[in-house]
């Protein structure tokens, strides 16, 4: 189908405001504009029982984290969430709305990881920061009042790519994961992204701009931690929810990854949102589909956490 009416209205509003593409701005300008756009589209800030900032040790110094806890006694199932932004933009604040809603809706504890950004810290810095944070939470459950048997990872866009990469590391070196949520993830850095170059929407030029910052060595595109779709074996990875948007240059590669997960025997739910564009998941105040997709992610995580608890009981 064509663009959903909400996506058409979003595009028209950007045209009326004269919003320049992020890839035409300086990094500082793009980082500020990206955060402002997401906050404007996120809707009302949802209260959470407890929100606190802290740090965990990383491979090159402390990594900032933000912890969201719903009401209720622990130890709690815990989701580590990795924000989007093409590994170049974004921060803990970028995913604030998503994490608040998931914490309440699952319910579960959500830990957002402030991984290092490119081009200052190119691949694989972000992957190793995210895995280090996961390992720390798993190894120090009392510090987080977390249930180490009910851990999951998730993320949108570049964050989805990082979540997929972290599952590969966790499968081979721990900790065990109950689930993964991949929202329009980058999964293959070697392909030429499809689609046009509509400057009012995330497009193929956006993909290559982010990629140029993240992959200091173009040969890294073939590394499975940069392109999880190219991993030799996906067996043994945690059950997955993969969310895609019809009018997104990342749609096909996200769906190919879901197909490969299924072929490897990984229980996988794939949901494509018709008429939607990249970024809709983070903006439920603009896109009703974003609200529905976040609710679907919460339901999936709650089911997987409950099933893990039953299997371990």
């Amino acid at each position: 189908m064509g663009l959903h009416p909400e996506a058409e209205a979003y595009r028209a509003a950007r045209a009326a405001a004269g919003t320049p593409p992020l890839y035409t701005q300086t990094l500082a300008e793009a980082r500020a504009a990206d955060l402002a756009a997401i906050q404007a589209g996120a809707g009302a800030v949802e209260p959470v029982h407890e929100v606190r900032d802290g740090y965990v040790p990383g491979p090159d110094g402390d990594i900032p984290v933000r912890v969201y806890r719903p009401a209720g006694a622990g130890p709690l199932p815990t989701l580590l969430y990795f924000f989007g932004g093409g590994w170049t933009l974004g921060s803990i604040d970028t995913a604030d709305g998503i994490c608040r809603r998931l914490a309440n809706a699952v319910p579960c504890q959500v830990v957002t990881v402030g991984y290092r950004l490119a081009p200052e810290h190119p691949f694989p810095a972000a992957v190793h920061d995210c895995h280090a944070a996961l390992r720390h939470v798993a190894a120090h459950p009392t510090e987080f009042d977390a249930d180490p048997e009910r851990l999951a990872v998730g993320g949108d866009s570049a964050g989805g790519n990082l979540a997929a990469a972290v599952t590969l590391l966790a499968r081979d070196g721990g900790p065990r994961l109950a689930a993964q949520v991949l929202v329009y993830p980058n999964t293959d850095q070697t392909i030429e992204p499809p689609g046009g170059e509509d400057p009012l929407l995330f497009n193929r030029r956006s993909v290559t701009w982010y990629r140029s910052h993240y992959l200091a060595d173009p040969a890294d595109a073939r590394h499975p931690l940069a392109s999880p779709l190219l991993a030799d074996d996906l067996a043994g990875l945690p059950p997955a929810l993969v969310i895609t948007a019809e009018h997104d240059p990342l749609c096909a590669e996200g769906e190919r990854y879901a197909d490969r997960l299924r072929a490897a025997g990984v229980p996988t739910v794939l949901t494509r949102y018709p008429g939607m564009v990249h970024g809709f998941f983070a903006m439920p105040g603009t896109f009703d589909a974003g609200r529905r997709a976040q609710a679907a992610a919460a339901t999936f995580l709650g089911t997987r956490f409950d099933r893990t608890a039953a299997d371990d009981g």
Side-chain angles (χ1 to χ4, degrees):
M1 64 178 288
L3 285 177
H4 188 280
E6 290 179 343
E8 289 278 17
Y10 170 75
R11 185 184 180 282
R14 290 173 63 83
T19 304
L22 294 174
Y23 51 74
T24 65
Q25 303 178 45
T26 67
L27 279 179
E29 291 169 342
R31 286 169 176 167
D34 178 65
L35 176 59
I38 289 173
Q39 289 178 331
V45 176
E46 189 168 308
V48 179
H49 179 68
E50 179 185 0
V51 181
R52 70 177 188 273
D53 291 319
Y55 293 89
V56 298
D60 190 31
D62 287 345
I63 303 167
V65 296
R66 181 171 294 166
V67 181
Y68 302 80
R69 288 183 67 86
L76 295 177
T78 299
L79 167 70
L80 276 85
Y81 195 86
F82 312 131
F83 56 81
W87 316 274
T88 302
L89 316 179
S91 68
I92 284 175
D93 290 329
T94 300
D96 184 71
I98 295 171
C99 294
R100 288 172 178 272
R101 290 185 181 87
L102 293 180
N104 288 331
V106 175
C108 70
Q109 177 172 238
V110 181
V111 179
T112 318
V113 180
Y115 58 85
R116 290 171 290 168
L117 297 178
E120 298 91 339
H121 304 283
F123 172 84
V127 179
H128 292 313
D129 283 358
C130 292
H131 188 223
L134 171 65
R135 289 174 62 90
H136 183 81
V137 171
H140 300 85
T142 56
E143 177 184 341
F144 292 87
D145 199 15
D147 181 350
E149 299 303 317
R150 291 188 292 166
L151 297 175
V153 295
D156 56 293
S157 194
N161 165 274
L162 294 171
V166 166
T167 67
L168 295 171
L169 292 172
R171 178 193 61 187
D172 299 332
R176 187 178 71 163
L177 293 169
Q180 57 178 316
V181 175
L182 311 179
V183 181
Y184 34 74
N186 307 73
T187 64
D188 186 354
Q189 309 273 27
T190 66
I191 61 172
E192 183 69 22
E197 295 189 7
D198 185 339
L200 297 171
L201 299 173
F202 182 86
N203 59 52
R204 59 188 296 169
R205 188 171 172 187
S206 307
V207 176
T208 58
W209 184 73
Y210 289 123
R211 185 185 294 172
S212 70
H213 291 303
Y214 186 49
L215 303 177
D217 181 353
D220 286 337
R222 299 204 62 81
H223 196 294
L225 295 183
S227 297
L229 187 64
L230 304 186
D232 291 336
D233 182 15
L234 300 182
L237 295 179
L241 170 63
V242 180
I243 290 172
T244 62
E246 181 182 10
H247 295 283
D248 179 358
L250 302 181
C251 182
E253 63 189 83
E255 295 181 358
R256 285 198 299 272
Y257 193 66
D259 289 343
R260 277 211 60 203
L261 287 170
R262 287 171 174 158
V266 177
T268 301
V269 177
L270 168 63
T271 306
R272 179 197 290 187
Y273 284 79
M276 281 294 106
V277 296
H278 190 88
F280 83 94
F281 184 84
M283 296 188 284
T286 299
F287 301 105
D288 181 67
R291 179 188 57 78
R292 290 187 284 109
Q294 288 188 13
T299 298
F300 173 81
L301 286 166
T303 299
R304 297 312 313 181
F305 286 142
D306 289 347
R307 187 165 300 176
T308 300
D311 290 345
D312 291 342

